[in-house]
Amino acid sequence: MHALADHTIHKNHTHHGWDNAFTPCLHIAPGETIEFQTVDASSGQLTRESTAADLERLDLARVNPVTGPVYIEGAEPGDALKVTVLSLRPSGWGWTGNIPGFGLLTDQFPNARLHHWNYDPGLAPAMYGPGGCVPLRPFTGTIGVAPAAPGLHSIIPPRNVGGNMDARDIAEGTELYLPIEVQGALFSVGDTHAAQGDGEVCGTAIESPIDVVLKFDLVKGARLRMPRYVVPGPVTNHFDRRGYEVTTGIGPDLMQGARVAVSEMVELLSQRYGYEPVDAYMLCSVCADLRISSIVDVPNWVVSYYFPRVVID
């Protein structure tokens, strides 16, 4: 058991999807801490020896396993669950994949591609050739509580009670507040990432098993409609040292603007540094950030894509 944790939930206590009928694997009181052992986003379908052919055979019904659920005593609908991220302990291995039919530019990159990351669990930057070096910042990709609606709900889309938000700043030190819709909250966590850019444009980050220690508290009668979180400090200081290359997409549709901005960056990285376009696309997914730069100047909006120069230079 981790020194910060009152309890440990082992990685065999995983489930796929959200269902308020799932039996809790642990009951705790507010104020207690838990170490969660997680499985990678493929549910173990991919290993260190896997190839792109294994990615093509991926059973999408088994992706994004979460560890749990946990019943928090006294949690009632209308309350908020405060989750404090105390610690993330990376495993040293992960993968990034271009999954056919999945991702922002799936029409441009229809074929499977798989990259293995073997990194220092002490969080030294991870290598990505030719010449790439990605600073790591572990976080929880899927984190949430059970919805009130009965039945089994897909784990893939995020929802108002959290889930697959892929918000890279839900990292160590962050305080997350989740709306509670069912008795006991029924909290689960998984889909841990060693690094990701805002947008996760190819659909995967550095998908990596990471042990997570969380503390749980209740805020009675909070009446939240959506998750909120508090970040304890700067969120990009691991990237900012050498500035950014920035591409843009401008037009009346934000999604198309995002696609154009990412496509422009893929072209820049391919031409300047010699990456295969699909490899540039996957590298963008783990370290570059989509931003809405302008959303008020009708009829066109500006989407910008920031690629940190520290990764390449």
Side-chain angles (χ1 to χ4, degrees):
M1 182 182 297
H2 193 284
L4 296 175
D6 300 314
H7 311 275
T8 296
I9 302 179
H10 298 285
K11 60 185 178 182
N12 56 316
H13 291 287
T14 59
H15 59 91
H16 300 86
W18 301 100
D19 192 330
N20 59 36
F22 284 156
T23 301
C25 62
L26 181 67
H27 286 65
I28 65 166
E32 294 192 78
T33 58
I34 304 173
E35 177 186 27
F36 294 82
Q37 296 180 352
T38 69
V39 183
D40 78 283
S42 77
S43 284
Q45 296 179 77
L46 299 178
T47 69
R48 295 173 187 264
E49 289 74 43
S50 293
T51 66
D54 298 304
L55 196 63
E56 289 180 319
R57 294 190 289 266
L58 203 64
D59 180 358
L60 296 181
R62 294 174 55 200
V63 301
N64 278 24
V66 285
T67 303
V70 175
Y71 188 103
I72 293 88
E73 301 289 350
E76 299 175 324
D79 297 342
L81 183 64
K82 177 185 176 184
V83 184
T84 305
V85 183
L86 299 181
S87 170
L88 296 110
R89 186 169 58 194
S91 62
W93 169 78
W95 59 271
T96 301
N98 185 56
I99 302 172
F102 190 57
L104 185 66
L105 303 181
T106 183
D107 56 328
Q108 297 180 36
F109 301 106
N111 299 321
R113 186 82 156 191
L114 180 65
H115 177 78
H116 290 276
W117 303 82
N118 294 290
Y119 61 86
D120 178 0
L123 300 185
M127 303 305 296
Y128 188 98
C133 190
V134 177
L136 302 182
R137 189 165 182 262
F139 73 99
T140 59
T142 301
I143 183 168
V145 296
L152 183 65
H153 302 270
S154 171
I155 202 79
I156 298 299
R159 52 192 76 243
N160 69 300
V161 287
N164 190 24
M165 295 189 291
D166 287 320
R168 74 165 190 197
D169 294 327
I170 303 179
E172 189 168 301
T174 294
E175 298 173 349
L176 171 66
Y177 295 82
L178 296 166
I180 295 174
E181 293 190 347
V182 300
Q183 204 81 19
L186 299 180
F187 172 91
S188 301
V189 66
D191 182 34
T192 45
H193 299 163
Q196 181 202 288
D198 280 335
E200 195 187 21
V201 294
C202 86
T204 57
I206 301 183
E207 308 291 339
S208 185
I210 296 174
D211 294 340
V212 185
V213 179
L214 305 174
K215 181 184 177 186
F216 298 88
D217 295 285
L218 288 178
V219 181
K220 301 298 289 183
R223 301 291 176 187
L224 294 186
R225 293 187 295 271
M226 292 285 166
R228 301 176 183 174
Y229 52 97
V230 178
V231 179
V235 296
T236 58
N237 59 350
H238 61 310
F239 279 152
D240 286 344
R241 293 189 300 277
R242 296 186 185 174
Y244 295 83
E245 298 285 347
V246 183
T247 52
T248 63
I250 300 173
D253 184 276
L254 284 175
M255 181 61 74
Q256 182 60 20
R259 285 172 49 84
V260 170
V262 174
S263 295
E264 291 289 301
M265 185 61 70
V266 167
E267 181 177 335
L268 183 155
L269 295 175
S270 299
Q271 292 182 354
R272 185 177 299 175
Y273 300 105
Y275 283 99
E276 290 292 325
V278 67
D279 292 328
Y281 177 45
M282 293 196 298
L283 180 58
C284 283
S285 193
V286 304
C287 67
D289 297 333
L290 276 170
R291 300 183 185 178
I292 299 174
S293 296
S294 171
I295 201 168
V296 297
D297 297 319
V298 178
N300 291 337
W301 330 125
V302 180
V303 179
S304 300
Y305 200 42
Y306 282 67
F307 186 93
R309 296 174 64 186
V310 71
V311 171
I312 298 294
D313 294 341

